[in-house]
Amino acid sequence: MLRLAGPNVLTTTAQASTGLIETYFIARLGTDALAGMALVFPMLMLIQMVSAGAVGGGMLSAVSRALGGGRLAEANGLVWHAVAISVGLGALTTVAALLAGPQLYAAMGGSGASLVAALAYSDVVFAGAVLLWLFNALAAVIRGTGNMLLPAGVMCAGTVALIPLSPALIFGIGPLPQLGVVGGAVAVLAYYVAGIVVFAAYLWSGRGVLHPPVRPPALSRAALASILRIGAVSAVVSATTNVTIATATGLVGVAGPAAVAGYGTGARLEYLLVPMVFEKLPSGYRITGAGEEVLELADRMEATSNLLEGRVFGRDQGVRGLLRVTLAPFLSTHLLMPDLAEFARLHPDIEMDILSSGELANLTNREADVAIRVVYDRKSLPLNLHGLKGPDLFGGVYVSRDCIAARSAGASEPIRWIVISAHGVPDWAGEGEVRTAVVPFRVTDAGSQLAAVRQGLGITTLPCFVGDADPLLVRVPGTDLHMYGTLWLLTQGEARKTKRVRLFNDFLVRRLVAHAPLLAGLSPASD
């Protein structure tokens, strides 16, 4: 296993390093040249991943299956099929890049000198797209025979050769002309040509397992399909990854060439990290020990970034801007929406974003600025959050008025409990003076729970501010109230210093005090 995996890791690392070496030297030409390369990078990596991993994987698989089945003649013929696919898809790549490149790079934020550099590099490197496809195809065929060392050796040697060759062609050393950004593309194509010569010499010399014919045989549709069928599925993953990078590059492009250059360099480093931090298994990818260390560092970087962002945000003393408030759905729809609307009318320059969800937003990661939460135990509050304590919140057991009226008229059949599937009947809830059935009525959310009890389907537990305020409901006779917890207004340490957060907290604290009797179930129940 290690004998096969080791060269594979070297191969992937060498392929990713090729781009980094090129990037290092082109960076000496200036920001525009580096930004131009960054614009071309997603498309180039897409072709690299599809030719080496997706379609290349199909070639490797087809050769391995033929050899494993004892069909040596078929395996020999597959070499020429791999060459035919490479030439065809390589030519298609060249045409697509030359026709769509200018519009694509402009859409990704390229303009002026950075766009000129992108087109100069792209025109040359994609003019030789057949070489890239053919290089990866022959390497895949050789790996399909079980020889992992030769492709890995060629790629590692080529990576080393690029260290003097790239700067020689970019800056013009000795008799070599100064080609600028184009020199990086010429160096890479020269590397592919040399690799193709080595791979072809090995395959057609008869020194390996395969002995392909000198003249190409008639192409078989079945053989072509066996390769492309596997490659097409894998290509979807490669396309998704690189379209994401291209989209991100376009978004970064709004900030100018320097931002594009920086992001493009970071993206190349990310590709280099993949073989180091992830181990490929039949079931997917598993993070390695090195990856765990990178993840820990990334978590620390994220925490530092959030802290810096929070401090900058805390210095914002303007009223105008975004205010994100997270709270439970019932609090939004049945208690605080009139107050939120009033605050919005009082402060039209504040953009309100109400996150009404059962999920807890992470204030430290700036997913929200203010959280209104029901807290059962004060000790459970995160130490890094600042809290303003509000009123206590109570709940009770409620039933529709029609159900009570029916029982008063003589109905005696048991009444179902209406429960949310994930919760069941709370331990504190009693049936009081009614008789409940063994079979419950289950729903998946609080809105359906309220609708069911209003329809007279049974009894259920509700916050007092919901049940007491509903004219169709009444508390079940003989039942007691239960304290759900205490309402808290929570903010992250730096965010609470901004003027709009302070305005909101001051306003809402006053409104919660006014709601305290309803929250505690002390308002006259509608019975």
Side-chain angles (χ1 to χ4, degrees):
M1 185 180 294
L2 291 175
R3 182 174 57 84
L4 294 174
N8 232 11
V9 172
L10 284 175
T11 298
T12 309
T13 305
Q15 287 174 326
S17 300
T18 300
L20 285 177
I21 293 169
E22 193 179 29
T23 300
Y24 175 79
F25 292 113
I26 286 182
R28 304 293 183 91
L29 299 176
T31 301
D32 288 321
L34 194 57
M37 269 195 65
L39 294 172
V40 181
F41 174 70
M43 188 172 177
L44 181 59
M45 281 307 299
L46 173 62
I47 303 305
Q48 178 71 263
M49 292 175 70
V50 172
S51 62
V55 177
M59 295 171 182
L60 184 154
S61 174
V63 170
S64 297
R65 291 199 311 270
L67 290 175
R71 302 186 301 275
L72 181 58
E74 178 184 334
N76 289 330
L78 286 170
V79 177
W80 280 108
H81 287 77
V83 170
I85 290 173
S86 300
V87 172
L89 292 180
L92 186 62
T93 300
T94 298
V95 173
L98 293 177
L99 293 179
Q103 293 79 14
L104 176 62
Y105 305 142
M108 291 168 62
S111 62
S114 65
L115 181 58
V116 171
L119 291 174
Y121 182 84
S122 174
D123 288 350
V124 173
V125 78
F126 286 118
V130 170
L131 299 176
L132 186 156
W133 277 93
L134 194 55
F135 176 90
N136 286 323
L138 295 180
V141 167
I142 293 171
R143 289 202 305 271
T145 66
N147 185 343
M148 311 296 287
L149 289 176
L150 178 62
V154 169
M155 291 178 189
C156 290
T159 301
V160 172
L162 283 175
I163 295 175
L165 184 60
S166 286
L169 292 171
I170 292 171
F171 305 114
I173 298 176
L176 298 176
Q178 182 178 348
L179 299 178
V181 69
V182 171
V186 173
V188 171
L189 293 181
Y191 156 60
Y192 289 144
V193 169
I196 291 170
V197 170
V198 173
F199 293 150
Y202 174 79
L203 285 168
W204 273 275
S205 68
R207 287 180 293 172
V209 175
L210 298 176
H211 299 82
V214 177
R215 299 183 61 180
L219 297 180
S220 163
R221 289 187 178 181
L224 294 173
S226 69
I227 294 173
L228 295 175
R229 184 169 56 248
I230 296 174
V233 176
S234 300
V236 173
V237 178
S238 301
T240 302
T241 301
N242 289 281
V243 167
T244 301
I245 293 177
T247 303
T249 303
L251 295 173
V252 171
V254 177
V260 173
Y263 176 78
T265 303
R268 285 177 179 260
L269 284 169
E270 183 180 3
Y271 274 100
L272 179 61
L273 284 175
V274 169
M276 299 179 184
V277 301
F278 294 106
E279 177 185 3
K280 189 172 183 181
L281 302 174
S283 57
Y285 286 90
R286 182 178 66 188
I287 194 166
T288 63
E292 294 282 1
E293 295 180 11
V294 172
L295 179 61
E296 182 181 353
L297 178 60
D299 287 338
R300 292 203 301 268
M301 292 171 63
E302 182 184 22
T304 304
S305 174
N306 290 330
L307 178 61
L308 290 173
E309 183 181 3
R311 288 181 177 176
V312 173
F313 181 67
R315 295 178 182 177
D316 179 8
Q317 295 306 312
V319 174
R320 181 185 299 273
L322 176 64
L323 178 66
R324 295 165 297 178
V325 181
T326 176
L327 70 169
F330 262 175
L331 287 173
S332 173
T333 57
H334 287 76
L335 183 69
L336 295 179
M337 189 53 72
D339 303 317
L340 298 174
E342 181 181 350
F343 181 82
R345 285 191 289 268
L346 290 173
H347 303 283
D349 289 338
I350 297 180
E351 179 184 352
M352 298 289 292
D353 193 350
I354 305 302
L355 311 174
S356 180
S357 168
E359 300 294 328
L360 294 182
N362 190 323
L363 299 186
T364 303
N365 289 347
R366 296 290 317 286
E367 293 176 1
D369 304 313
V370 181
I372 306 169
R373 292 182 188 167
V374 180
V375 178
Y376 307 99
D377 180 5
R378 181 172 182 170
K379 295 180 180 179
S380 67
L381 288 173
L383 296 177
N384 64 320
L385 298 183
H386 176 78
L388 292 174
K389 185 179 179 182
D392 293 332
L393 172 62
F394 284 77
V397 183
Y398 291 85
V399 68
S400 72
R401 289 181 176 274
D402 290 343
C403 275
I404 293 297
R407 293 188 65 80
S408 299
S412 60
E413 63 273 10
I415 299 178
R416 295 185 185 216
W417 273 103
I418 302 170
V419 298
I420 295 179
S421 300
H423 301 152
V425 180
D427 295 336
W428 60 266
E431 60 186 27
E433 298 177 9
V434 301
R435 187 163 59 93
T436 56
V438 176
V439 180
F441 184 88
R442 293 189 177 89
V443 294
T444 59
D445 59 275
S448 298
Q449 175 194 20
L450 179 60
V453 72
R454 296 183 78 197
Q455 289 295 321
L457 287 173
I459 65 174
T460 195
T461 58
L462 292 170
C464 291
F465 71 84
V466 176
D468 289 347
D470 195 313
L472 299 181
L473 304 181
V474 65
R475 294 180 197 168
V476 174
T479 58
D480 298 322
L481 298 183
H482 174 76
M483 182 176 169
Y484 281 168
T486 304
L487 284 179
W488 283 79
L489 267 69
L490 302 175
T491 52
Q492 193 270 339
E494 299 296 334
R496 67 187 176 89
K497 299 176 183 178
T498 64
K499 188 171 183 178
R500 53 183 173 272
V501 171
R502 288 189 284 108
L503 286 172
F504 180 79
N505 284 348
D506 292 344
F507 172 85
L508 199 63
V509 165
R510 294 194 298 271
R511 298 307 303 146
L512 288 176
V513 170
H515 291 313
L518 181 60
L519 291 165
L522 300 178
S523 294
S526 39
D527 55 359

